[in-house]
Amino acid sequence: GCGAVLLTQSVQAQSIGWRSATFAAVDDSWTLNADFDVELSTRMEEALGNGVALYFLVEFELTRPRWYWLDERVLSERLTLRIGYQPLLRQYRLSSGALYRNFSSLSEALQELGRIRGWQVAERDRLKSGEPYKAFVRMRLDSSQLPRLMQVGPGAARDWNLQSDWQRFAVSPVPVEGAVK
């Protein structure tokens, strides 16, 4: 009885689940929208509350199948997102580059962290019209950005391992009417 309750609490959900992704041509570029469900472990939440920022990487790869060899990697992009806590303001800050937003609760910040919108991953002419491609996307905690003391020690690899599976979907750019080939 009691041992099972303790076990379930220590294995508390820490996961990144994948919900959806779309890859589309918008103006002069290819953009990715993706949705992830991000759940932190109690230890991650405590670290965040103690002023340790957590960095997340969204990784995107595009390959083109080749019948005579391994698939050709057409592009590989990374987006870095940072979530931190500001105790004086009692707010969570989600940032990407110079852009940031503040949130009053961790759940709001995590919900927004999992919403990738309008990420420009390639110029429009980078993909050949009518060619089949395979797109791959995932999100993970970048544990290399953690303070050194948190990266080593018993259980460190397990405690700070948080990532979604690679999600794969097919992409086939269609010719744009009136476009010059």
Side-chain angles (χ1 to χ4, degrees):
C2 193
V5 171
L6 289 173
L7 179 65
T8 54
Q9 287 177 341
S10 66
V11 181
Q12 183 232 347
Q14 73 178 52
S15 66
I16 300 179
W18 181 81
R19 283 193 308 206
S20 66
T22 58
F23 182 73
V26 178
D27 298 325
D28 290 338
S29 61
W30 287 96
T31 61
L32 178 74
N33 293 333
D35 288 299
F36 298 93
D37 289 318
V38 182
E39 295 179 41
L40 303 181
S41 68
T42 305
R43 186 159 180 199
M44 290 174 194
E45 288 182 19
E46 288 169 359
L48 202 52
N50 289 325
V52 175
L54 300 178
Y55 290 83
F56 288 83
L57 285 175
V58 181
E59 297 170 308
F60 177 78
E61 291 188 3
L62 194 70
T63 63
R64 184 170 51 219
R66 293 190 285 202
W67 62 269
Y68 58 90
W69 193 244
L70 298 173
D71 290 356
E72 173 192 6
R73 183 182 289 174
V74 178
L75 66 94
S76 180
E77 294 292 327
R78 295 172 129 190
L79 175 67
T80 301
L81 302 167
R82 178 188 183 274
I83 189 168
Y85 181 68
Q86 300 171 304
L88 293 175
L89 301 174
R90 292 189 175 145
Q91 289 188 326
Y92 293 89
R93 175 171 280 186
L94 178 62
S95 55
S96 175
L99 303 174
Y100 68 88
R101 284 189 54 199
N102 292 329
F103 299 89
S104 55
S105 75
L106 178 58
S107 64
E108 288 175 315
L110 291 176
Q111 188 173 355
E112 189 61 27
L113 171 71
R115 286 183 39 130
I116 309 304
R117 292 291 178 269
W119 178 27
Q120 296 180 354
V121 292
E123 302 82 37
R124 184 123 179 207
D125 59 5
R126 185 94 180 259
L127 277 65
K128 293 184 180 116
S129 182
E131 294 271 329
Y133 294 89
K134 291 182 210 163
F136 301 86
V137 64
R138 77 169 173 177
M139 177 184 273
R140 68 181 175 90
L141 176 70
D142 185 0
S143 57
S144 71
Q145 298 275 1
L146 292 168
R148 194 79 192 123
L149 285 173
M150 297 173 109
Q151 294 179 37
V152 296
R158 182 187 66 244
D159 290 343
W160 301 106
N161 182 20
L162 180 62
Q163 65 185 24
S164 72
D165 292 332
W166 280 101
Q167 295 303 317
R168 176 184 154 187
F169 50 100
V171 174
S172 210
V174 290
V176 179
E177 296 217 9
V180 179
K181 292 188 180 177

